[in-house]
């Protein structure tokens, strides 16, 4: 059987049903392990997108302007079980969210140029409390995101990662780290502790974002491999963090 059948709600009377009847009649087993039903695509005025009416939007047009990762991020941010509205203003908001996630990854990676995880990492029990808090929050985000993937709730992945990048990291933790990163001695315990958290966070976020931001994650992974050359040659060959 297939892992999943995915189609619009009209297929409950069509493909989903006909496949089920044929498989049960010939094999005594269902043809799929799971069924996902998505709603309809609507424009910003709530009209069903239609090529004949000229209300459709070509994915190629969006990709040529924003890149494929922004389009994929929009898909992950929607509740596909309901009808989904789509238009320029919605896409602009998603593009802004993408830039915030990308800039967070950029900050994490830009502070690892002199960090060697094999020699410079600090164990959590020797870290300041704020660093341990950051790792704890990362674990919570990963748990939420991975559960979202396992249950096909991709909007949970988007909300968990975006909220973590904007609220926990950019607005608080990364701002609090700047003195340690820029003013402490390069090899000081305080700075290495901060870099240990940045490395763990960059690696975990890149892995968990890889199914959605496929090109951005590959680009970030290439930077991580400069710090940790033993990593897989592509993020898409690596396993999810635990």
């Amino acid at each position: 059987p297939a892992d999943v059948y995915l189609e619009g709600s009209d297929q409950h009377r069509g493909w989903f049903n006909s496949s089920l009847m044929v498989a049960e009649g010939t094999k005594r087993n269902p043809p799929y392990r799971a069924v996902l039903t998505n709603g309809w695509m609507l424009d910003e005025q709530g009209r069903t997108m239609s090529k004949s009416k000229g209300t459709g939007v070509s994915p190629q047009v969006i990709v040529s302007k924003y890149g494929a990762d922004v389009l994929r991020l929009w898909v992950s941010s929607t509740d596909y079980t309901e009808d989904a509205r789509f238009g320029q203003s919605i896409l602009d908001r998603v593009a802004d969210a993408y830039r915030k996630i990308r800039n967070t990854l950029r900050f994490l990676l830009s502070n690892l140029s002199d960090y060697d995880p094999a020699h410079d990492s600090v164990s959590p029990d020797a870290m300041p409390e704020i660093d341990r808090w950051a790792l704890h929050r990362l674990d919570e985000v990963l748990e939420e995101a991975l559960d979202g993937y396992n249950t096909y709730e991709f909007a949970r992945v988007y909300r968990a990662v975006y909220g973590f990048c904007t609220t926990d990291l950019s607005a608080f933790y990364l701002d609090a780290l700047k003195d340690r990163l820029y003013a402490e001695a390069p090899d000081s315990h305080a700075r290495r502790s901060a870099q240990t958290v940045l490395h763990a966070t960059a690696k975990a976020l890149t892995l968990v974002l890889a199914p959605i931001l496929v090109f951005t994650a590959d680009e970030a992974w290439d930077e991580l491999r400069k710090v940790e050359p033993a990593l897989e040659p592509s993020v898409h060959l690596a396993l999810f963090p635990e």
Side-chain angles (χ1 to χ4, degrees):
D3 285 329
V4 60
Y5 271 31
L6 167 64
E7 254 294 353
S9 55
D10 57 325
Q11 295 305 319
H12 286 290
R13 296 175 299 174
W15 183 42
F16 296 156
N17 189 42
S18 60
S19 297
L20 181 62
M21 289 192 294
V22 170
E24 289 288 355
T26 59
K27 299 180 183 299
R28 301 292 186 227
N29 283 300
Y32 36 66
R33 297 186 178 93
V35 171
L36 289 186
T37 304
N38 60 274
W40 303 106
M41 287 285 294
L42 309 176
D43 64 16
E44 289 183 297
Q45 284 72 47
R47 301 172 300 184
T48 301
M49 284 197 177
S50 168
K51 291 180 182 177
S52 61
K53 294 178 181 178
T55 55
V57 179
S58 169
Q60 286 83 358
V61 172
I62 299 167
V63 169
S64 65
K65 181 176 180 180
Y66 293 96
D69 279 1
V70 172
L71 181 59
R72 294 171 69 93
L73 188 63
W74 171 77
V75 173
S76 75
S77 71
T78 64
D79 178 6
Y80 61 80
T81 63
E82 305 287 343
D83 292 345
R85 294 198 179 200
F86 185 79
Q88 187 64 51
S89 63
I90 295 170
L91 197 59
D92 286 340
R93 289 197 295 272
V94 174
D96 185 57
Y98 168 78
R99 282 190 291 270
K100 290 178 179 177
I101 294 172
R102 184 182 178 90
N103 286 338
T104 300
L105 284 171
R106 178 181 292 170
F107 182 91
L108 298 172
L109 294 167
S110 67
N111 283 282
L112 296 176
S113 58
D114 65 337
Y115 175 76
D116 181 355
H119 300 100
D120 300 327
S121 62
V122 175
S123 63
D125 57 0
M127 288 180 173
E129 187 174 13
I130 191 173
D131 291 348
R132 296 200 304 274
W133 170 85
L135 291 178
H136 173 70
R137 279 293 297 130
L138 176 63
D139 273 354
E140 291 180 330
V141 169
L142 292 178
E143 184 176 6
E144 174 73 6
L146 297 180
D147 191 55
Y149 278 127
N150 288 329
T151 54
Y152 303 105
E153 296 176 274
F154 308 114
R156 287 175 61 193
V157 182
Y158 170 81
R159 289 194 299 268
V161 173
Y162 179 68
F164 182 58
C165 288
T166 57
T167 304
D168 296 306
L169 293 180
S170 296
F172 173 58
Y173 180 66
L174 299 184
D175 191 54
L177 280 192
K178 288 178 181 177
D179 282 348
R180 271 198 281 161
L181 291 172
Y182 304 147
E184 294 283 348
D187 202 31
S188 66
H189 180 275
R191 185 168 180 272
R192 293 306 190 198
S193 177
Q195 286 181 306
T196 302
V197 177
L198 297 187
H199 176 254
T201 304
K203 188 174 179 180
L205 285 181
T206 301
L207 285 165
V208 84
L209 283 168
I212 299 172
L213 303 183
V214 287
F215 302 106
T216 304
D218 236 352
E219 186 180 352
W221 195 255
D222 285 343
E223 294 301 312
L224 279 167
R225 292 189 71 233
K226 297 175 184 177
V227 178
E228 194 174 355
L231 292 175
E232 289 81 356
S234 167
V235 66
H236 304 297
L237 298 175
L239 298 177
F240 269 154
E242 295 184 2

